[in-house]
Amino acid sequence: MKILEEIKKLCLSRYNLFVIGVQVAIYVLLVSIWSLVIMLLEHDVKAAKESMCVNSFVLFLLLIVFMVNFYLLVPYLFETKNKTKHWAFWIINLLFITLWNHHIFSIYNEDMPNAPIRVGFYQFGVMWMILNYTMVVAAIFVRYYIRHNILRRQLREEKQKMTEAELAWLKNQLNPHFLFNTLNNISSLTQTSPNNAQKAIEQLSELLRYALYETQPKEVSLNGEIAFIKNYINLMRIRYGSNVEIKSQFVIHNSQLLIAPLVFLTPVENAFKHGISANKPSFVHISITEDNGKIIFLCENSNYPKNDTDKSGKGIGLENMYRRLELIYPERYHIEQQITAEVYHLKIIIKP
């Protein structure tokens, strides 16, 4: 009963119907080609028709052996790990092939009554059995090939799902991290410059709107990302005085360029977090340019690393960005990082 249910499922499966259609189409193609050859070579029409009928019948027998193995014997006996079923597979095939081809053996035997000629019957029998077992082996290999491709596709899909989940997790960390750092910056303004703090809150709302709603797609417009970075830099300008040199440059010729959202946010945040001193001259230089379709991000800042007592927040840092680049742009990005006692240099080249 269970086997009958499985056969029903196989027959109703759209994929299996397609495979059956392909197998039948191959059979029809072989019969058609053979019939065409016979008609071109055989001048006797009656003999040609008989030859075509015989060969259609012969190919049909081979097709049935292939399909019985492909849909029943191979999946339920050969592909299991049970050795007893493996032996049963070959024994059942021997019995099935012998019984299925009994009629053709009988016809061939009746046509060869003389003993000396009957040697050809045994030769024919051996060759015919080899052809039938060739169909059995073909069914094994075709099923293996199909199953292997299905497994590879499933692994790719699972890997893709895991990658997307990890990217979502990494990206979701950016928003609270970004909000935490920005609120720390605004917090210091509320005591020193309430008016500037009000402006900063207004700019922060615009930044959050972009970070929460505009970055949902896998890729966003590079111009939109640049606008976000510009707003963030302007927000930082409000906080720092004349002792901090802040420069930015953005030169993009292709307005259609797309990029992963917020991919440059961490190094920009770090430039202001670790590159500015409260009582020493500091600088932050940020640029995004385009060169032959490549996006080049460059960030240079004075180097004042925070000590362990700093309470401005310990973020996910550059490791998050490196992982996102590796997942989104494998073998399509390059990073150069140099750290000296006074200057931190970071260059990222991305080929979208």
Side-chain angles (χ1 to χ4, degrees), residues 142-171:
V142 171
R143 278 196 64 89
Y144 171 79
Y145 176 78
I146 293 174
R147 187 176 61 173
H148 180 68
N149 281 348
I150 291 174
L151 288 174
R152 287 181 60 186
R153 186 187 68 214
Q154 290 175 344
L155 285 173
R156 285 197 303 268
E157 290 174 354
E158 289 299 320
K159 185 177 180 181
Q160 181 65 25
K161 289 179 181 178
M162 291 178 64
T163 299
E164 291 176 357
E166 183 178 0
L167 282 171
W169 180 74
L170 290 170
K171 182 171 166 288

Side-chain angles (χ1 to χ4, degrees), residues 9 14 17 27 29 49 68 74 87 89 101 130 147 193 213 216-217 229 233 238 266 281 285 322 330 347:
K9 288 181 181 178
R14 186 177 299 178
L17 287 175
Y27 165 76
L29 179 63
K49 288 182 178 179
V68 167
V74 174
W87 281 105
F89 169 79
N101 294 281
I130 290 174
R147 187 176 61 173
S193 179
Y213 301 111
Q216 296 305 314
I229 293 175
I233 292 174
I238 297 175
T266 297
H285 298 165
Y322 294 156
K347 184 177 184 181

Side-chain angles (χ1 to χ4, degrees), residues 43 69 75 121 145 159 167 188 196 227 235 275 320 325 332 337:
H43 301 290
N69 275 275
F121 168 73
Y145 176 78
K159 185 177 180 181
L167 282 171
S188 62
N196 285 338
L235 177 61
N320 181 308
L325 287 173
R332 290 186 292 150
Q337 184 178 227

Side-chain angles (χ1 to χ4, degrees), residues 183-202:
L183 286 176
N184 274 328
N185 291 329
I186 295 176
S187 176
S188 62
L189 287 175
T190 57
Q191 298 177 357
T192 59
S193 179
N195 290 334
N196 285 338
Q198 181 64 34
K199 293 180 182 179
I201 291 173
E202 293 174 0

Side-chain angles (χ1 to χ4, degrees), residues 223-235:
N223 286 332
E225 195 73 7
I226 287 175
F228 172 81
I229 293 175
K230 284 181 178 179
N231 287 336
Y232 184 84
I233 292 174
N234 290 333
L235 177 61

Side-chain angles (χ1 to χ4, degrees), residues 45 135 177 205 226 257 259:
V45 177
M135 293 298 101
H177 175 268
S205 65
I226 287 175
L257 279 177
I259 195 168

